[in-house]
Amino acid sequence: MAVPASALKARRVRKPGQTKTWIPYLFVLPNLLIFTTFIVIPMVIGFIYSFHEYDGLNPMEFVGFGNYTEIFANDEFWSALARTALYALIVVPAICCLSLAVAMMLIQPIRCKGLFRSIFYWPTMISYIIVGLTWKWIFGDFGVFNYLMTLLGMEPLHFLSDSFYANVSVIIATIWSRLGFYMVIFMAGLQAIPNDYYEAARLDGASKPRVFLTITLPLLKPTTVLVVMLTLIEAFKAYPLLFALTGGGPGQDTTYIVQYIYETGFAKQELGMASAMSVILFVLISMFTALQFKLSKGGSD
């Protein structure tokens, strides 16, 4: 029986191992299944919930855009979002500037460089709950900090029961826990800058501030944009550390948007309303992500 010419041609051009192109898909299959099960499916279900009134026990009742309309008139939601924005406005530049400064210091030929890098990176390996409980132990009314102040003859401060100091405590704990991670990213970005630029600047007699402003900062733009966007997204998703440290108090002074959504969904059993809030937060974070991709592309040019 004669073999068709097209089949012979296909057999001739086929490379060794080409029939096994399905094997790479097996490697990504476990992650794909986990991502679909725990991310995609809950996200779709949450989106469906957002158009219903649902308490988790009784049958769902379709309300259309009723939940979204109610959110726009919910002052507590916008207050929590405003507190989150203010928290991000302080935390993001603080983490970026401090992590860049530490990275620039630790790429220099100094003694015990590895030890200092480990010290700064170590907090990133601790879970947010442990970080929050650790700083609660430090800033509590009977904590380490107040004990030291008492030894020095000073009046103790109510770090976690005063609105201002509670927010300051949250910001300090956040910076301490995340600085090391972004320090590593900045170190990678700094070490990727060709040394020829610095040599040329040194021969021209440029000062260190001028070298930093005209060489380091422009060439570090993609890394800086990445760090800014990642810290911004993290700030809007912050919850475990804050909950372990202050529990959202005093009152609701450190109740940020994710904790407010959690309380709406599970404490008040308004799953439909909480899902609609989650969709709004998802849209907000998606906008940050899209902005990051756009700015990063511009920086690489």
Side-chain angles (χ1 to χ4, degrees):
M1 181 178 178
V3 179
S6 58
L8 290 174
K9 185 178 179 181
R11 189 177 301 171
R12 283 197 297 270
V13 299
R14 184 176 296 157
K15 297 178 181 178
Q18 190 174 1
T19 56
K20 299 179 181 177
T21 53
W22 50 271
I23 290 180
Y25 295 101
L26 289 180
F27 288 98
V28 300
L29 187 60
N31 279 341
L32 185 63
L33 288 175
I34 293 173
F35 182 78
T36 303
T37 304
F38 294 103
I39 302 295
V40 176
I41 293 177
M43 188 169 65
V44 173
I45 294 175
F47 186 71
I48 295 172
Y49 282 176
S50 70
F51 295 102
H52 293 78
E53 185 177 343
Y54 184 47
D55 60 3
L57 297 174
N58 298 306
M60 292 189 296
E61 181 182 349
F62 183 74
V63 294
F65 288 95
N67 287 330
Y68 292 95
T69 306
E70 194 171 336
I71 287 172
F72 283 102
N74 186 341
D75 293 335
E76 292 185 357
F77 174 80
W78 294 111
S79 296
L81 192 60
R83 278 193 294 273
T84 308
L86 180 61
Y87 163 76
L89 196 64
I90 298 172
V91 164
V92 172
I95 288 180
C96 290
C97 294
L98 290 174
S99 56
L100 175 60
V102 173
M104 293 185 66
M105 179 182 69
L106 294 183
I107 62 170
Q108 304 300 323
I110 60 175
R111 298 181 64 181
C112 302
K113 185 166 57 177
L115 175 63
F116 288 119
R117 289 179 178 179
S118 303
I119 290 174
F120 279 104
Y121 188 74
W122 172 70
T124 65
M125 297 186 291
I126 306 174
S127 73
Y128 287 126
I129 296 294
I130 302 299
V131 171
L133 293 176
T134 301
W135 283 96
K136 189 174 185 177
W137 177 65
I138 295 173
F139 283 136
D141 288 345
F142 302 99
V144 175
F145 204 87
N146 273 334
Y147 175 72
L148 294 175
M149 292 180 68
T150 306
L151 289 181
L152 296 173
M154 302 170 66
E155 289 292 327
L157 295 175
H158 301 290
F159 285 101
L160 304 182
S161 54
D162 179 85
S163 175
F164 174 76
Y165 289 116
N167 280 285
V168 171
S169 303
V170 164
I171 290 169
I172 291 174
T174 303
I175 293 172
W176 181 81
S177 66
R178 302 307 296 157
L179 189 146
F181 176 74
Y182 295 108
M183 173 200 73
V184 173
I185 296 178
F186 270 126
M187 286 174 63
L190 288 169
Q191 290 172 339
I193 298 176
N195 200 40
D196 297 343
Y197 294 106
Y198 294 111
E199 292 290 342
R202 199 172 295 122
L203 291 175
D204 288 341
S207 61
K208 288 185 178 179
R210 185 172 178 81
V211 170
F212 177 74
L213 293 174
T214 56
I215 297 178
T216 304
L217 271 187
L219 294 179
L220 208 58
K221 179 186 171 184
T223 306
T224 306
V225 170
L226 175 66
V227 170
V228 169
M229 289 303 163
L230 288 180
T231 49
L232 189 60
I233 292 170
E234 274 195 347
F236 273 85
K237 291 166 54 182
Y239 170 60
L241 190 156
L242 316 181
F243 183 75
L245 179 57
T246 65
Q252 288 190 320
D253 290 336
T254 57
T255 299
Y256 298 147
I257 188 64
V258 173
Q259 183 173 347
Y260 183 73
I261 293 174
Y262 168 81
E263 290 175 353
T264 303
F266 295 97
K268 300 179 182 176
Q269 289 189 310
E270 298 178 2
L271 293 180
M273 182 67 69
S275 299
M277 294 175 181
S278 300
V279 170
I280 293 175
L281 183 61
F282 173 77
V283 171
L284 196 60
I285 292 177
S286 299
M287 291 169 61
F288 293 149
T289 306
L291 182 64
Q292 176 209 338
F293 280 115
K294 184 175 181 181
L295 293 178
S296 298
K297 185 179 178 181
S300 62
D301 291 336

